[in-house]
Amino acid sequence: MQSATFKSIKSLVPLMDRVLVQRFKAETKTATGIFLPQSATSQPLPEATVISVGPGARDKDGQIIPMSVQAGDRVLLPGWGGNTIKVGEEEYYLFKDAEILAKIRE
């Protein structure tokens, strides 16, 4: 997995069929107030919020294929893949549109 660091997330614009997401943070405390050890919360959660999307990839005829998600969508991610991007202490991830497993409807 590759990692990059930027000063502002606004300086990053996804290209082609890339999607910039921020994963939901794991709870470090249970509903009853018990603090969980880091080993129990180290697994990344599969849900994320879409921050921004690229314009879409081109097909063999040069037509742009529309993206299946847009900024603000909640999505389900695979447990692997994506490129990590750090902005300060926050982590974001770049995935291809086709790697996103599902859109979560409220």
Side-chain angles (χ1 to χ4, degrees), residues 4-9 85-92:
T5 304
F6 297 90
K7 292 182 181 176
S8 167
I9 198 62
I85 298 159
K86 275 196 98 143
V87 179
E89 294 299 312
E90 296 292 322
E91 281 191 343
Y92 299 86

Side-chain angles (χ1 to χ4, degrees), residues 61-83:
D61 298 322
Q63 300 297 315
I64 292 181
I65 302 167
M67 300 293 281
S68 60
V69 296
Q70 59 185 344
D73 286 348
R74 285 182 57 199
V75 294
L76 185 65
L77 301 173
W80 49 266
N83 289 36

Side-chain angles (χ1 to χ4, degrees), residues 88-102:
E89 294 299 312
E90 296 292 322
E91 281 191 343
Y92 299 86
Y93 298 86
L94 270 174
F95 282 89
K96 283 190 166 192
D97 188 42
E99 294 174 337
I100 294 175
L101 302 176

Side-chain angles (χ1 to χ4, degrees), residues 8-72:
S8 167
I9 198 62
K10 292 181 182 181
S11 66
L12 185 67
V13 179
L15 299 176
M16 297 178 52
D17 62 341
R18 301 296 194 279
V19 179
L20 180 66
V21 300
Q22 185 174 30
R23 288 184 187 266
F24 291 160
K25 293 189 183 349
E27 291 294 325
T28 57
K29 189 167 74 168
T30 66
T32 58
I34 298 171
F35 284 93
L36 299 171
Q38 184 160 354
S39 61
T41 60
S42 63
Q43 191 75 352
L45 292 177
E47 292 182 40
T49 300
V50 176
I51 304 301
S52 61
V53 299
R58 294 189 180 273
D59 64 14
K60 63 180 180 168
D61 298 322
Q63 300 297 315
I64 292 181
I65 302 167
M67 300 293 281
S68 60
V69 296
Q70 59 185 344

